[in-house]
Coordinates of all heavy atoms in Angstrom, one line a residue:
M237 N 29.5 -4.7 -12.5 CA 28.1 -5.1 -12.5 C 27.8 -5.8 -11.1 O 28.7 -6.5 -10.6 CB 27.9 -6.1 -13.6 CG 26.4 -6.1 -14.1 SD 25.7 -4.6 -14.5 CE 24.0 -5.0 -14.3
V238 N 26.6 -5.7 -10.7 CA 26.2 -6.3 -9.4 C 26.1 -7.8 -9.6 O 25.7 -8.3 -10.7 CB 24.8 -5.7 -9.0 CG1 24.4 -6.3 -7.7 CG2 24.8 -4.2 -8.9
R239 N 26.5 -8.5 -8.6 CA 26.3 -10.0 -8.7 C 25.0 -10.3 -8.1 O 24.6 -9.9 -7.1 CB 27.4 -10.7 -7.8 CG 28.7 -10.7 -8.4 CD 29.7 -11.5 -7.6 NE 31.0 -11.5 -8.2 CZ 31.3 -12.2 -9.3 NH1 30.5 -13.1 -9.8 NH2 32.5 -12.1 -9.8
W240 N 24.2 -11.1 -8.9 CA 22.8 -11.4 -8.5 C 22.8 -12.8 -8.0 O 23.4 -13.7 -8.5 CB 21.9 -11.3 -9.8 CG 22.0 -10.0 -10.4 CD1 22.8 -9.6 -11.4 CD2 21.3 -8.8 -10.0 NE1 22.7 -8.3 -11.7 CE2 21.7 -7.8 -10.9 CE3 20.3 -8.5 -9.1 CZ2 21.2 -6.5 -10.8 CZ3 19.8 -7.3 -9.0 CH2 20.2 -6.2 -9.9
E241 N 22.0 -12.9 -6.9 CA 21.8 -14.2 -6.3 C 20.6 -14.8 -7.1 O 19.5 -14.3 -6.9 CB 21.4 -14.1 -4.8 CG 22.4 -13.4 -4.0 CD 23.5 -14.4 -3.6 OE1 23.2 -15.6 -3.6 OE2 24.6 -14.0 -3.2
C242 N 20.8 -15.8 -7.9 CA 19.6 -16.3 -8.6 C 19.9 -17.7 -9.1 O 21.0 -18.1 -9.1 CB 19.2 -15.4 -9.7 SG 20.6 -15.0 -10.9
P243 N 18.8 -18.4 -9.4 CA 19.0 -19.8 -9.9 C 19.9 -19.8 -11.2 O 19.9 -18.7 -11.8 CB 17.6 -20.3 -10.2 CG 16.7 -19.3 -9.6 CD 17.4 -18.0 -9.4
P244 N 20.5 -20.9 -11.5 CA 21.4 -20.9 -12.7 C 20.8 -20.5 -14.0 O 21.5 -20.0 -14.9 CB 21.9 -22.4 -12.7 CG 21.5 -23.0 -11.4 CD 20.4 -22.2 -10.8
R245 N 19.5 -20.7 -14.1 CA 18.9 -20.3 -15.4 C 18.8 -18.8 -15.7 O 18.6 -18.4 -16.8 CB 17.5 -21.0 -15.6 CG 16.4 -20.3 -14.7 CD 15.0 -20.8 -15.1 NE 14.6 -20.2 -16.3 CZ 13.9 -19.0 -16.3 NH1 13.6 -18.4 -15.2 NH2 13.5 -18.5 -17.5
C246 N 19.0 -18.1 -14.6 CA 18.9 -16.6 -14.7 C 20.2 -16.0 -15.1 O 21.2 -16.0 -14.4 CB 18.4 -16.0 -13.4 SG 16.8 -16.5 -13.0
L247 N 20.3 -15.6 -16.4 CA 21.6 -15.0 -16.9 C 21.5 -13.5 -17.0 O 22.5 -12.8 -17.1 CB 21.8 -15.6 -18.3 CG 22.0 -17.1 -18.3 CD1 22.1 -17.6 -19.8 CD2 23.2 -17.6 -17.5
S248 N 20.3 -13.0 -16.8 CA 20.1 -11.5 -17.0 C 19.8 -10.9 -15.6 O 19.4 -11.6 -14.7 CB 19.0 -11.2 -17.9 OG 19.2 -11.9 -19.1
P249 N 20.1 -9.6 -15.4 CA 19.8 -9.0 -14.1 C 18.3 -9.0 -13.8 O 17.5 -9.0 -14.7 CB 20.4 -7.6 -14.3 CG 20.4 -7.4 -15.8 CD 20.6 -8.7 -16.4
H250 N 18.1 -8.8 -12.5 CA 16.7 -8.7 -12.0 C 16.6 -7.2 -11.5 O 17.5 -6.7 -11.0 CB 16.4 -9.6 -10.9 CG 16.5 -11.1 -11.3 ND1 17.7 -11.7 -11.2 CD2 15.7 -11.9 -11.9 CE1 17.6 -13.0 -11.6 NE2 16.3 -13.1 -12.1
V251 N 15.4 -6.7 -11.6 CA 15.2 -5.3 -11.0 C 15.0 -5.5 -9.5 O 14.3 -6.4 -9.1 CB 14.0 -4.6 -11.6 CG1 14.3 -4.2 -13.1 CG2 12.7 -5.4 -11.6
L252 N 15.6 -4.6 -8.7 CA 15.4 -4.7 -7.3 C 14.0 -4.0 -7.0 O 13.5 -3.2 -7.8 CB 16.5 -3.9 -6.6 CG 17.9 -4.5 -6.7 CD1 18.9 -3.6 -6.0 CD2 17.9 -5.9 -6.1
P253 N 13.4 -4.4 -5.8 CA 12.1 -3.8 -5.5 C 12.2 -2.2 -5.4 O 13.3 -1.7 -5.1 CB 11.8 -4.3 -4.1 CG 12.7 -5.6 -4.0 CD 13.9 -5.3 -4.8
A254 N 11.2 -1.6 -5.8 CA 11.2 -0.1 -5.8 C 11.4 0.4 -4.4 O 10.9 -0.1 -3.4 CB 9.9 0.4 -6.3
R255 N 12.3 1.4 -4.3 CA 12.6 2.0 -3.0 C 11.6 3.2 -2.7 O 10.9 3.6 -3.6 CB 14.0 2.6 -3.0 CG 15.0 1.5 -3.5 CD 16.2 1.6 -2.8 NE 17.2 0.7 -3.5 CZ 18.5 0.8 -3.3 NH1 19.0 1.6 -2.4 NH2 19.3 0.0 -3.9
S256 N 11.6 3.6 -1.5 CA 10.6 4.7 -1.1 C 10.8 6.0 -1.9 O 9.9 6.6 -2.2 CB 10.7 4.9 0.4 OG 12.0 5.2 0.8
H257 N 12.1 6.3 -2.3 CA 12.3 7.5 -3.0 C 12.4 7.3 -4.5 O 13.1 8.0 -5.2 CB 13.5 8.3 -2.4 CG 14.7 7.4 -2.4 ND1 14.9 6.3 -1.5 CD2 15.9 7.4 -3.1 CE1 16.0 5.7 -1.7 NE2 16.7 6.4 -2.7
C258 N 11.8 6.2 -4.9 CA 11.9 5.8 -6.3 C 11.2 6.9 -7.2 O 10.2 7.4 -6.9 CB 11.1 4.5 -6.4 SG 10.7 3.9 -8.0
E259 N 11.9 7.1 -8.3 CA 11.3 8.1 -9.3 C 10.2 7.4 -10.1 O 10.4 6.3 -10.6 CB 12.5 8.6 -10.2 CG 12.0 9.6 -11.2 CD 13.2 10.2 -12.0 OE1 14.4 10.0 -11.5 OE2 13.0 10.8 -13.0
E260 N 9.1 8.1 -10.3 CA 8.0 7.6 -11.1 C 8.3 7.9 -12.6 O 8.3 9.0 -13.0 CB 6.7 8.2 -10.7 CG 6.2 7.9 -9.3 CD 5.4 6.6 -9.3 OE1 4.9 6.2 -10.4 OE2 5.4 5.9 -8.3
L261 N 8.4 6.8 -13.4 CA 8.5 7.0 -14.8 C 7.1 7.2 -15.4 O 6.1 6.7 -14.8 CB 9.2 5.8 -15.5 CG 10.6 5.6 -15.0 CD1 11.2 4.4 -15.8 CD2 11.5 6.8 -15.3
T262 N 7.0 7.9 -16.5 CA 5.8 8.0 -17.3 C 5.7 6.9 -18.3 O 6.6 6.7 -19.1 CB 5.7 9.3 -18.0 OG1 6.0 10.4 -17.0 CG2 4.3 9.6 -18.6
W263 N 4.6 6.1 -18.2 CA 4.5 5.0 -19.2 C 3.4 5.3 -20.2 O 2.4 5.7 -19.9 CB 4.2 3.7 -18.4 CG 5.3 3.3 -17.5 CD1 5.4 3.5 -16.1 CD2 6.5 2.6 -17.8 NE1 6.5 3.1 -15.6 CE2 7.3 2.5 -16.6 CE3 7.0 2.2 -19.0 CZ2 8.5 1.9 -16.6 CZ3 8.3 1.5 -19.0 CH2 9.0 1.4 -17.8
H264 N 3.7 4.9 -21.4 CA 2.8 5.2 -22.5 C 2.5 3.9 -23.2 O 3.3 2.9 -23.2 CB 3.5 6.1 -23.6 CG 4.2 7.3 -23.0 ND1 3.5 8.4 -22.6 CD2 5.5 7.5 -22.6 CE1 4.3 9.3 -22.1 NE2 5.5 8.8 -22.1
P265 N 1.4 3.8 -24.0 CA 1.1 2.7 -24.8 C 2.2 2.5 -25.8 O 2.8 3.6 -26.2 CB -0.2 3.0 -25.5 CG -0.8 4.1 -24.7 CD 0.3 4.8 -24.1
P266 N 2.6 1.3 -26.2 CA 3.7 1.2 -27.2 C 3.4 1.9 -28.5 O 2.2 1.9 -29.0 CB 3.7 -0.3 -27.5 CG 2.8 -1.0 -26.5 CD 2.0 0.1 -25.9
R267 N 4.4 2.5 -29.1 CA 4.3 3.2 -30.4 C 4.3 2.2 -31.6 O 4.1 2.6 -32.7 CB 5.5 4.1 -30.6 CG 5.5 5.3 -29.6 CD 6.6 6.2 -30.0 NE 6.8 7.2 -29.1 CZ 7.7 8.2 -29.2 NH1 8.4 8.3 -30.3 NH2 7.8 9.2 -28.3
G268 N 4.5 0.9 -31.3 CA 4.6 0.0 -32.4 C 5.8 0.3 -33.3 O 5.7 0.2 -34.5
D269 N 6.9 0.6 -32.7 CA 8.1 1.0 -33.5 C 8.9 -0.2 -33.9 O 9.6 -0.8 -33.1 CB 8.9 1.9 -32.6 CG 10.1 2.4 -33.3 OD1 10.4 2.0 -34.5 OD2 10.9 3.3 -32.8
G270 N 8.7 -0.6 -35.1 CA 9.4 -1.8 -35.6 C 10.9 -1.7 -35.7 O 11.6 -2.6 -35.9
Q271 N 11.3 -0.4 -35.7 CA 12.8 -0.2 -35.8 C 13.5 -0.4 -34.5 O 14.8 -0.4 -34.5 CB 13.0 1.3 -36.3 CG 12.3 1.6 -37.6 CD 12.9 0.9 -38.7 OE1 14.1 0.8 -38.9 NE2 12.0 0.3 -39.6
A272 N 12.8 -0.4 -33.4 CA 13.5 -0.5 -32.1 C 14.3 -1.7 -31.9 O 13.9 -2.8 -32.3 CB 12.4 -0.4 -31.0
R273 N 15.5 -1.6 -31.4 CA 16.4 -2.7 -31.2 C 16.7 -2.8 -29.7 O 16.9 -1.8 -29.0 CB 17.8 -2.3 -31.9 CG 18.8 -3.3 -31.9 CD 19.9 -2.9 -32.9 NE 20.6 -1.6 -32.5 CZ 21.6 -1.6 -31.6 NH1 22.1 -2.7 -31.1 NH2 22.1 -0.4 -31.3
V274 N 16.6 -4.0 -29.2 CA 16.7 -4.2 -27.7 C 18.2 -4.3 -27.4 O 18.9 -5.1 -28.0 CB 16.0 -5.5 -27.3 CG1 16.3 -5.7 -25.8 CG2 14.5 -5.4 -27.6
V275 N 18.7 -3.4 -26.5 CA 20.1 -3.4 -26.2 C 20.5 -4.0 -24.9 O 21.5 -4.5 -24.7 CB 20.8 -2.0 -26.3 CG1 20.8 -1.5 -27.8 CG2 20.0 -1.0 -25.5
R276 N 19.5 -3.9 -23.9 CA 19.7 -4.6 -22.6 C 18.3 -5.1 -22.2 O 17.3 -4.6 -22.6 CB 20.2 -3.7 -21.6 CG 21.6 -3.2 -21.8 CD 22.1 -2.5 -20.6 NE 23.0 -1.4 -21.0 CZ 24.2 -1.5 -21.5 NH1 24.7 -2.7 -21.7 NH2 24.9 -0.5 -21.9
W277 N 18.3 -6.1 -21.3 CA 17.0 -6.6 -20.8 C 17.2 -7.2 -19.5 O 18.4 -7.6 -19.0 CB 16.5 -7.7 -21.8 CG 17.5 -8.8 -22.1 CD1 17.7 -9.9 -21.4 CD2 18.6 -8.7 -23.1 NE1 18.8 -10.6 -22.0 CE2 19.3 -9.9 -23.0 CE3 18.9 -7.8 -24.1 CZ2 20.4 -10.2 -23.8 CZ3 19.9 -8.1 -25.0 CH2 20.7 -9.3 -24.8
T278 N 16.1 -7.3 -18.7 CA 16.2 -8.0 -17.4 C 15.7 -9.4 -17.6 O 15.1 -9.8 -18.6 CB 15.3 -7.2 -16.4 OG1 14.0 -7.3 -16.8 CG2 15.8 -5.8 -16.3
C279 N 15.9 -10.2 -16.5 CA 15.5 -11.6 -16.6 C 14.0 -11.7 -16.7 O 13.3 -11.0 -16.0 CB 16.0 -12.3 -15.3 SG 15.7 -14.0 -15.3
D280 N 13.5 -12.7 -17.5 CA 12.1 -12.8 -17.7 C 11.5 -13.8 -16.7 O 10.3 -14.2 -16.9 CB 11.7 -13.1 -19.1 CG 12.3 -14.5 -19.5 OD1 12.9 -15.1 -18.7 OD2 12.0 -14.8 -20.7
C281 N 12.2 -14.2 -15.6 CA 11.5 -15.0 -14.7 C 10.6 -14.3 -13.7 O 9.8 -14.8 -13.0 CB 12.6 -15.8 -13.8 SG 13.5 -14.8 -12.6
D282 N 10.8 -13.0 -13.7 CA 9.9 -12.1 -12.9 C 8.6 -11.9 -13.7 O 8.6 -11.9 -14.9 CB 10.5 -10.8 -12.6 CG 11.7 -10.9 -11.6 OD1 11.5 -11.8 -10.7 OD2 12.6 -10.2 -11.7
P283 N 7.5 -11.6 -13.0 CA 6.2 -11.3 -13.7 C 6.3 -10.0 -14.6 O 5.6 -9.9 -15.5 CB 5.2 -11.0 -12.5 CG 5.9 -11.5 -11.3 CD 7.4 -11.6 -11.5
A284 N 7.2 -9.1 -14.2 CA 7.4 -7.9 -15.0 C 8.9 -7.9 -15.4 O 9.8 -8.1 -14.6 CB 7.1 -6.7 -14.3
F285 N 9.1 -7.7 -16.7 CA 10.5 -7.6 -17.2 C 10.7 -6.4 -18.1 O 9.7 -5.8 -18.6 CB 11.1 -8.8 -17.8 CG 10.5 -9.3 -19.1 CD1 11.0 -8.8 -20.3 CD2 9.4 -10.1 -19.1 CE1 10.4 -9.2 -21.5 CE2 8.8 -10.5 -20.2 CZ 9.3 -10.1 -21.5
Y286 N 11.9 -5.9 -18.2 CA 12.1 -4.6 -18.9 C 13.2 -4.8 -19.9 O 14.1 -5.6 -19.8 CB 12.7 -3.6 -17.8 CG 11.7 -3.3 -16.7 CD1 11.6 -4.1 -15.6 CD2 10.8 -2.2 -16.8 CE1 10.7 -3.9 -14.6 CE2 9.9 -1.9 -15.8 CZ 9.8 -2.8 -14.7 OH 8.9 -2.5 -13.7
E287 N 13.0 -4.0 -21.0 CA 14.0 -4.0 -22.1 C 14.4 -2.5 -22.3 O 13.6 -1.7 -22.4 CB 13.4 -4.6 -23.3 CG 13.0 -6.1 -23.2 CD 12.1 -6.5 -24.3 OE1 11.0 -5.9 -24.3 OE2 12.4 -7.4 -25.0
L288 N 15.7 -2.3 -22.5 CA 16.2 -1.0 -23.0 C 16.3 -1.1 -24.5 O 17.0 -1.9 -25.0 CB 17.6 -0.7 -22.3 CG 18.2 0.6 -22.7 CD1 17.4 1.8 -22.2 CD2 19.6 0.7 -22.1
C289 N 15.6 -0.2 -25.1 CA 15.5 -0.3 -26.6 C 16.1 1.0 -27.2 O 16.0 2.1 -26.7 CB 14.0 -0.3 -27.0 SG 13.2 -1.8 -26.4
Q290 N 16.7 0.8 -28.4 CA 17.3 1.9 -29.1 C 16.4 2.1 -30.4 O 16.1 1.2 -31.1 CB 18.7 1.5 -29.5 CG 19.4 2.4 -30.5 CD 20.2 3.4 -29.9 OE1 20.9 3.1 -28.9 NE2 20.2 4.6 -30.4
S291 N 16.1 3.3 -30.6 CA 15.3 3.6 -31.8 C 15.8 4.9 -32.4 O 15.7 6.0 -31.7 CB 13.8 3.7 -31.5 OG 13.1 4.1 -32.6
G292 N 16.4 4.9 -33.5 CA 17.0 6.1 -34.1 C 18.1 6.5 -33.1 O 18.9 5.7 -32.7
G293 N 18.2 7.8 -32.8 CA 19.2 8.3 -31.9 C 18.7 8.2 -30.4 O 19.5 8.7 -29.5
L294 N 17.6 7.7 -30.1 CA 17.0 7.8 -28.8 C 16.8 6.4 -28.2 O 16.8 5.4 -28.9 CB 15.7 8.5 -28.8 CG 15.8 10.0 -29.2 CD1 14.4 10.6 -29.2 CD2 16.6 10.8 -28.3
R295 N 16.7 6.3 -26.9 CA 16.5 5.1 -26.2 C 15.3 5.2 -25.3 O 15.0 6.3 -24.8 CB 17.7 4.7 -25.4 CG 18.9 4.3 -26.2 CD 20.0 3.8 -25.4 NE 21.0 3.2 -26.3 CZ 22.1 2.6 -25.9 NH1 22.3 2.3 -24.7 NH2 23.0 2.1 -26.8
F296 N 14.6 4.1 -25.1 CA 13.5 4.1 -24.1 C 13.5 2.7 -23.5 O 14.2 1.8 -23.9 CB 12.2 4.4 -24.9 CG 11.8 3.4 -25.9 CD1 11.0 2.3 -25.6 CD2 12.3 3.5 -27.2 CE1 10.7 1.4 -26.6 CE2 12.0 2.6 -28.2 CZ 11.2 1.5 -27.9
I297 N 12.7 2.6 -22.4 CA 12.5 1.4 -21.7 C 11.1 0.8 -22.0 O 10.1 1.5 -21.9 CB 12.7 1.6 -20.2 CG1 14.1 2.1 -19.9 CG2 12.4 0.3 -19.4 CD1 14.3 2.6 -18.5
R298 N 11.1 -0.5 -22.3 CA 9.8 -1.1 -22.6 C 9.6 -2.1 -21.4 O 10.5 -2.8 -21.0 CB 9.9 -2.0 -23.9 CG 8.6 -2.7 -24.2 CD 8.8 -3.6 -25.4 NE 9.0 -2.9 -26.6 CZ 9.8 -3.3 -27.6 NH1 10.4 -4.4 -27.5 NH2 9.9 -2.6 -28.7
R299 N 8.4 -2.0 -20.8 CA 8.0 -2.8 -19.7 C 7.0 -3.8 -20.1 O 5.9 -3.5 -20.7 CB 7.4 -1.9 -18.6 CG 6.9 -2.7 -17.4 CD 6.3 -1.8 -16.4 NE 5.1 -1.1 -16.9 CZ 4.4 -0.2 -16.2 NH1 4.8 0.1 -15.0 NH2 3.3 0.3 -16.7
T300 N 7.2 -5.1 -19.8 CA 6.2 -6.1 -20.1 C 5.8 -6.7 -18.8 O 6.6 -7.2 -18.1 CB 6.8 -7.2 -21.0 OG1 7.3 -6.6 -22.2 CG2 5.8 -8.3 -21.4
V301 N 4.5 -6.7 -18.6 CA 3.9 -7.3 -17.4 C 3.1 -8.5 -17.8 O 2.1 -8.3 -18.6 CB 3.1 -6.3 -16.6 CG1 2.5 -7.0 -15.3 CG2 3.9 -5.1 -16.2
R302 N 3.5 -9.7 -17.4 CA 2.7 -10.8 -17.8 C 1.5 -11.1 -16.9 O 1.6 -11.3 -15.7 CB 3.6 -12.1 -17.7 CG 4.3 -12.4 -19.0 CD 4.8 -13.8 -18.9 NE 5.8 -13.8 -17.8 CZ 7.1 -13.9 -18.0 NH1 7.6 -14.0 -19.2 NH2 7.9 -13.9 -17.0
A303 N 0.4 -10.9 -17.5 CA -0.8 -11.4 -16.9 C -1.2 -12.7 -17.6 O -0.7 -12.9 -18.7 CB -1.9 -10.3 -17.0
R304 N -2.2 -13.4 -17.1 CA -2.6 -14.7 -17.8 C -2.9 -14.4 -19.2 O -3.9 -13.7 -19.5 CB -3.8 -15.2 -17.1 CG -3.6 -15.9 -15.8 CD -4.9 -16.0 -15.1 NE -4.6 -16.1 -13.7 CZ -4.7 -17.2 -13.0 NH1 -5.1 -18.3 -13.5 NH2 -4.4 -17.2 -11.7
N305 N -2.3 -15.0 -20.1 CA -2.6 -14.9 -21.6 C -2.6 -13.5 -22.1 O -2.9 -13.3 -23.3 CB -3.9 -15.5 -21.9 CG -4.1 -16.9 -21.4 OD1 -3.1 -17.7 -21.4 ND2 -5.2 -17.3 -20.9
N306 N -2.3 -12.5 -21.3 CA -2.5 -11.2 -21.8 C -1.4 -10.2 -21.3 O -1.7 -9.5 -20.4 CB -3.9 -10.7 -21.4 CG -4.3 -9.4 -22.1 OD1 -3.7 -9.1 -23.1 ND2 -5.3 -8.7 -21.5
P307 N -0.2 -10.3 -21.9 CA 0.8 -9.4 -21.4 C 0.5 -8.0 -21.7 O -0.1 -7.7 -22.7 CB 2.0 -9.9 -22.1 CG 1.5 -10.6 -23.3 CD 0.2 -11.1 -23.0
S308 N 0.8 -7.1 -20.8 CA 0.6 -5.7 -21.1 C 2.0 -5.0 -21.2 O 2.9 -5.3 -20.5 CB -0.2 -5.0 -20.0 OG 0.6 -4.6 -18.9
I309 N 2.1 -4.3 -22.3 CA 3.4 -3.7 -22.7 C 3.2 -2.1 -22.6 O 2.3 -1.6 -23.1 CB 3.8 -4.1 -24.1 CG1 3.9 -5.7 -24.1 CG2 5.1 -3.5 -24.5 CD1 4.2 -6.3 -25.4
D310 N 4.2 -1.5 -22.0 CA 4.2 0.0 -21.9 C 5.6 0.4 -22.3 O 6.6 -0.3 -22.1 CB 3.8 0.5 -20.5 CG 2.4 0.1 -20.2 OD1 1.5 0.7 -20.8 OD2 2.2 -0.7 -19.3
E311 N 5.7 1.7 -22.7 CA 7.0 2.2 -23.0 C 7.2 3.6 -22.3 O 6.3 4.3 -22.1 CB 7.1 2.5 -24.5 CG 7.2 1.2 -25.3 CD 7.2 1.4 -26.8 OE1 7.2 2.5 -27.3 OE2 7.2 0.4 -27.5
S312 N 8.4 3.8 -21.9 CA 8.8 5.0 -21.2 C 8.9 6.2 -22.2 O 8.8 6.0 -23.4 CB 10.1 4.9 -20.5 OG 11.2 4.8 -21.4
D313 N 9.2 7.3 -21.7 CA 9.6 8.4 -22.6 C 10.9 8.0 -23.4 O 11.6 7.1 -23.0 CB 10.0 9.7 -21.8 CG 8.7 10.2 -21.1 OD1 7.6 10.1 -21.7 OD2 8.9 10.8 -20.0
H314 N 11.2 8.7 -24.5 CA 12.4 8.5 -25.2 C 13.4 9.5 -24.8 O 13.1 10.7 -24.6 CB 12.1 8.6 -26.7 CG 11.3 7.5 -27.3 ND1 10.1 7.1 -26.7 CD2 11.5 6.7 -28.3 CE1 9.7 6.0 -27.4 NE2 10.5 5.8 -28.4
W315 N 14.6 9.0 -24.5 CA 15.7 9.9 -24.1 C 17.0 9.7 -24.9 O 17.2 8.6 -25.5 CB 16.1 9.5 -22.6 CG 15.0 9.6 -21.6 CD1 14.4 10.6 -21.1 CD2 14.4 8.4 -21.0 NE1 13.5 10.3 -20.2 CE2 13.5 8.9 -20.1 CE3 14.6 7.0 -21.0 CZ2 12.7 8.1 -19.2 CZ3 13.9 6.2 -20.2 CH2 12.9 6.7 -19.3
P316 N 17.9 10.7 -24.9 CA 19.2 10.5 -25.5 C 19.9 9.3 -24.7 O 19.6 9.1 -23.5 CB 20.0 11.8 -25.2 CG 18.9 12.8 -24.9 CD 17.7 12.0 -24.3
A317 N 20.8 8.6 -25.4 CA 21.4 7.4 -24.9 C 21.9 7.5 -23.4 O 21.7 6.7 -22.6 CB 22.5 6.9 -25.8
G318 N 22.7 8.6 -23.1 CA 23.3 8.7 -21.8 C 22.3 8.8 -20.7 O 22.4 8.2 -19.7
E319 N 21.2 9.6 -21.0 CA 20.1 9.7 -20.0 C 19.4 8.4 -19.9 O 19.0 8.0 -18.7 CB 19.2 10.8 -20.5 CG 18.5 11.6 -19.5 CD 17.7 12.7 -20.1 OE1 18.2 13.4 -21.0 OE2 16.5 12.9 -19.8
A320 N 19.1 7.7 -21.0 CA 18.4 6.5 -20.9 C 19.2 5.4 -20.2 O 18.6 4.7 -19.4 CB 18.1 6.0 -22.4
D321 N 20.5 5.4 -20.4 CA 21.3 4.4 -19.7 C 21.3 4.6 -18.2 O 21.2 3.7 -17.4 CB 22.7 4.4 -20.2 CG 22.8 3.9 -21.7 OD1 21.8 3.4 -22.2 OD2 23.9 3.9 -22.3
A322 N 21.3 5.9 -17.8 CA 21.3 6.3 -16.4 C 19.9 5.8 -15.8 O 19.8 5.3 -14.7 CB 21.5 7.8 -16.2
M323 N 18.9 6.0 -16.6 CA 17.5 5.6 -16.1 C 17.4 4.1 -16.0 O 16.8 3.6 -15.1 CB 16.5 6.2 -17.1 CG 15.1 6.4 -16.6 SD 15.2 7.5 -15.1 CE 15.0 9.1 -16.0
W324 N 18.1 3.4 -16.9 CA 18.1 1.9 -16.9 C 18.8 1.4 -15.6 O 18.3 0.6 -14.9 CB 18.8 1.4 -18.1 CG 19.0 -0.1 -18.2 CD1 20.1 -0.8 -17.9 CD2 17.9 -1.0 -18.5 NE1 19.8 -2.1 -18.1 CE2 18.5 -2.3 -18.4 CE3 16.6 -0.9 -18.8 CZ2 17.8 -3.4 -18.6 CZ3 15.8 -2.0 -19.0 CH2 16.4 -3.3 -19.0
I325 N 19.9 2.1 -15.3 CA 20.6 1.7 -14.0 C 19.7 2.0 -12.8 O 19.6 1.1 -11.9 CB 22.0 2.5 -13.9 CG1 22.9 2.1 -15.1 CG2 22.6 2.2 -12.6 CD1 23.3 0.7 -15.2
A326 N 19.1 3.1 -12.8 CA 18.2 3.5 -11.7 C 17.1 2.5 -11.6 O 16.7 2.1 -10.5 CB 17.6 4.9 -11.9
L327 N 16.5 2.0 -12.7 CA 15.5 1.0 -12.7 C 15.9 -0.3 -12.1 O 15.3 -0.8 -11.2 CB 15.0 0.8 -14.2 CG 14.0 -0.3 -14.4 CD1 12.6 0.3 -14.2 CD2 14.1 -0.9 -15.8
L328 N 17.1 -0.7 -12.5 CA 17.7 -2.0 -11.9 C 17.8 -1.9 -10.4 O 17.7 -2.9 -9.7 CB 19.0 -2.3 -12.6 CG 19.0 -2.7 -14.1 CD1 20.4 -3.1 -14.5 CD2 18.0 -3.8 -14.3
H329 N 18.2 -0.7 -9.9 CA 18.5 -0.6 -8.5 C 17.3 -0.1 -7.7 O 17.4 0.2 -6.5 CB 19.6 0.4 -8.3 CG 20.9 -0.1 -8.8 ND1 21.8 -0.8 -7.9 CD2 21.5 -0.3 -10.0 CE1 22.9 -1.2 -8.6 NE2 22.7 -0.9 -9.9
G330 N 16.1 -0.1 -8.3 CA 14.9 0.2 -7.6 C 14.7 1.7 -7.3 O 13.9 2.1 -6.5
L331 N 15.4 2.5 -8.1 CA 15.3 4.0 -7.9 C 14.4 4.6 -9.0 O 14.2 5.8 -9.0 CB 16.7 4.6 -8.0 CG 17.7 4.1 -6.9 CD1 19.1 4.6 -7.1 CD2 17.2 4.5 -5.5
A332 N 13.9 3.9 -9.9 CA 13.0 4.4 -10.9 C 12.0 3.2 -11.2 O 12.5 2.1 -11.2 CB 13.7 4.9 -12.2
R333 N 10.8 3.5 -11.5 CA 9.9 2.4 -11.8 C 8.7 3.0 -12.6 O 8.3 4.1 -12.3 CB 9.4 1.8 -10.5 CG 8.7 0.4 -10.7 CD 9.6 -0.6 -11.4 NE 11.0 -0.6 -11.0 CZ 11.5 -1.5 -10.0 NH1 10.7 -2.3 -9.4 NH2 12.8 -1.5 -9.7
Ligands
LIG364 ZN1 15.7 -14.7 -13.2

């Protein structure tokens, strides 16, 4: 795992800024899937944080952008675990957003 330079309160990884050849993910309104289980997450000290969620046999990424009093939540496409994990790594490294 990458070592992150961050204040001591930050225990979770941060996403790196999007790179120029960053892949554009498709974001959808949340499905309201109560079954989804969060398996990985990024640090919530950033205005936008991400969670890798497992639902049934598939995984997706949930994005929360904090605006004043009104966080906006979006979800990516659903993928098989291997593909979703690769997308999660790409997201952390600024290669998908
Ligand atoms: Zn942090």
Side-chain angles (χ1 to χ4, degrees):
M237 205 53 203
V238 182
R239 287 187 180 277
W240 303 93
E241 302 276 339
C242 54
R245 71 170 282 271
C246 293
L247 300 174
S248 306
H250 301 92
V251 291
L252 294 178
R255 311 216 190 165
S256 53
H257 52 293
C258 169
E259 182 173 342
E260 290 276 334
L261 298 180
T262 308
W263 296 100
H264 312 278
R267 292 185 187 184
D269 183 354
Q271 302 293 315
R273 186 169 61 88
V274 178
V275 290
R276 291 188 217 293
W277 52 89
T278 64
C279 187
D280 66 0
C281 73
D282 287 327
F285 66 92
Y286 298 85
E287 296 162 299
L288 179 63
C289 302
Q290 170 93 38
S291 175
L294 297 176
R295 291 184 172 191
F296 62 94
I297 296 170
R298 182 188 290 146
R299 176 182 66 182
T300 303
V301 179
R302 264 196 298 254
R304 283 161 207 258
N305 304 325
N306 189 19
S308 86
I309 299 175
D310 295 293
E311 292 178 0
S312 71
D313 293 328
H314 289 51
W315 304 289
E319 209 175 315
D321 291 355
M323 207 55 90
W324 177 255
I325 298 296
L327 177 85
L328 292 183
H329 289 265
L331 298 172
R333 198 56 43 94

